[in-house]
Amino acid sequence: MRTPHAPAPPAPRGPRTPARTALAPAVLLGAASALLLALVAVEWRPLLDLDAGISRTTHRWAVAEDGLTQAARVLTDWVWDPWTMRLLCAVAVILLLRRPAARWTAGWLVVVVALATAVQQGLKAALGRERPVWSDPVDTAHYAAFPSGHAMTATVVLGLLLWLLRRHGVSTVVWRTALTVAAVSVAGVGLTRIWLGVHWPTDVLGGWLFGASTVVAAVAAHRRLRPTPRGTAPRRSGGMRSPSPELAPSTSDDPPRRPR
């Protein structure tokens, strides 16, 4: 009489790679961006009516609340202006260039921000969406409306800088402070553009979506294209593992890790 064999335990799942982890957000952001772009391009009436209703309400508030409106103009024209964001990006690039091993990352940051600006301007030119027009405007802006350049630039720059801070292992206090400032800035710049009546709400939503999609794509490209530091063996599917962080030479732009 044979003893029945117990069923073999299921094989453990392999570790989730960064590419697999970022796939779902990339697909969702890309689909949402494409859907919004299509609805704006065909001038879908329910979307236009929603934009108009929100904009009329916020414009009445902006006219009545002069103090808040002036504060919004200062924030959007100086603190969260696209050129302020690009200046912040330039400071980060200079800091990265001080470390020879981080020069590739510095170039990557410049290229991504430049491409994001080109995409933003290209979409504006292609759609040519008109901005809101008021008989009693509280602020003015020029060129096409979709997507919001303020919202997209802030999302791209601050999103990339947050990822760099996380990657370089800053302290918890610094990380939480930076995350809070970035979240307030990205949300705030979009709301000020609607409050001042220079953008439709979907312009701002488009800036957020396209900006977030750019960040996800740029991070994936960095992980895939960044040159492997000398002395570090690339990972192979046959089970070869790269040297541990404690043993690998300190040629990467990652901060050195202390052995536990």
Side-chain angles (χ1 to χ4, degrees):
M1 183 175 180
R2 295 183 178 180
T3 304
H5 295 284
R13 294 183 179 179
R16 299 181 66 184
T17 62
R20 291 174 58 188
T21 303
L23 181 60
V27 171
L28 290 175
L29 287 170
S33 301
L35 176 61
L36 181 61
L37 177 62
L39 294 177
V40 171
V42 301
E43 298 183 351
W44 191 48
R45 178 52 54 185
L47 188 69
L48 300 183
D49 292 342
L50 179 63
D51 269 341
I54 296 175
S55 296
R56 283 193 296 267
T57 300
T58 54
H59 181 68
R60 287 198 302 268
W61 295 344
V63 172
E65 301 291 340
D66 185 65
L68 286 177
T69 300
Q70 292 302 322
R73 294 185 64 178
V74 171
L75 289 171
T76 196
D77 291 340
W78 296 97
V79 181
W80 297 325
D81 184 76
W83 284 107
T84 304
M85 294 293 110
R86 293 172 188 136
L87 179 61
L88 181 62
C89 178
V91 172
V93 168
I94 293 173
L95 293 176
L96 289 169
L97 288 175
R98 295 175 62 185
R99 303 180 61 187
R103 289 174 182 171
W104 191 93
T105 297
W108 162 84
L109 185 57
V110 172
V111 169
V112 171
V113 174
L115 285 177
T117 302
V119 169
Q120 165 206 310
Q121 295 299 315
L123 288 172
K124 284 178 177 288
L127 292 178
R129 191 184 198 190
E130 297 292 334
R131 293 178 183 266
V133 177
W134 310 104
S135 59
D136 51 349
V138 297
D139 200 0
T140 58
H142 306 285
Y143 200 40
F146 185 92
S148 167
H150 282 68
M152 183 171 176
T153 303
T155 303
V156 170
V157 171
L158 296 179
L160 294 176
L161 295 184
L162 277 178
W163 181 75
L164 287 174
L165 286 176
R166 189 72 169 182
R167 181 171 179 265
H168 283 266
V170 296
S171 66
T172 302
V173 174
V174 172
W175 167 251
R176 289 179 178 175
T177 302
L179 183 60
T180 301
V181 171
V184 170
S185 298
V186 170
V189 71
L191 294 177
T192 58
R193 303 308 285 169
I194 299 172
W195 180 272
L196 294 172
V198 294
H199 272 296
W200 305 106
T202 48
D203 298 337
V204 172
L205 179 59
W208 286 336
L209 288 175
F210 280 103
S213 299
T214 302
V215 171
V216 172
V219 169
H222 186 283
R223 287 169 171 162
R224 184 175 183 84
L225 301 177
R226 176 174 168 265
T228 304
R230 294 181 181 180
T232 303
R235 294 182 180 179
R236 299 180 183 177
S237 58
M240 296 294 292
R241 300 179 63 185
S242 59
S244 64
E246 293 82 7
L247 300 179
S250 180
T251 56
S252 168
D253 56 337
D254 292 327
R257 300 180 181 177
R258 297 179 181 178
R260 295 182 179 178

